[in-house]
Amino acid sequence: EVQLVESGGGLVQTGGSLRLSCAWSGLAFEDYHIGWIRQVPGKEREGVASIHSQKGDTVYADSVKGRFIISRDSTANTVYLQMNDVKPEDAAVYYCVAEYGPLSRWNLENPAEYDYWGQGTRVTVSS
């Protein structure tokens, strides 16, 4: 059973930084990618960033490119999302997601297609 457990959400000031973590287990094959999806109530889910398990290839949404960094610690089975220069529009519930197979921008553009989801962690941004 695949499990994804997020942590690190909370309150951050505009312009500040926050790091989200996703501890995963149960991914049985080496070819997979793990990423972050965010959702604001009443709005569509938005793919934020994703990283592939083997090569470490990454993709980012244009809205976060240059501000957010996704990384992985394979020995700890953890993926991180370093959020820098946080903006009010970054406030959302952030979900860790995973899927087997190669990574492409299509995955971020179609977040509902991810097979595995965590419970989410909320990020609140204060002005």
Side-chain angles (χ1 to χ4, degrees):
E1 179 187 4
V2 175
Q3 290 190 328
L4 306 171
V5 180
E6 304 97 334
S7 61
L11 178 65
V12 59
Q13 288 188 330
T14 297
S17 297
L18 195 67
R19 190 176 78 161
L20 306 183
S21 300
C22 172
W24 63 264
S25 62
L27 289 165
F29 306 105
E30 292 299 318
D31 185 12
Y32 61 87
H33 51 276
I34 296 181
W36 295 89
I37 304 296
R38 66 187 181 187
Q39 187 166 26
V40 176
K43 294 189 177 181
E44 291 188 358
R45 295 168 177 168
E46 179 188 13
V48 176
S50 192
I51 186 167
H52 191 267
S53 60
Q54 293 176 309
K55 296 182 179 180
D57 294 348
T58 58
V59 291
Y60 292 92
D62 290 342
S63 59
V64 306
K65 197 174 295 183
R67 299 189 297 121
F68 291 10
I69 301 171
I70 189 169
S71 62
R72 73 192 194 287
D73 182 344
S74 299
T75 60
N77 287 2
T78 302
V79 170
Y80 304 99
L81 184 68
Q82 178 67 43
M83 305 169 61
N84 299 318
D85 189 22
V86 173
K87 301 179 180 181
E89 53 264 39
D90 295 323
V93 176
Y94 284 71
Y95 297 92
C96 182
V97 294
E99 186 174 40
Y100 287 111
L103 172 63
S104 72
R105 178 159 296 278
W106 184 91
N107 300 114
L108 279 190
E109 295 171 349
N110 295 272
E113 298 299 314
Y114 274 94
D115 293 326
Y116 305 104
W117 291 70
Q119 293 299 308
T121 186
R122 183 176 299 276
V123 173
T124 304
V125 182
S126 64
S127 57

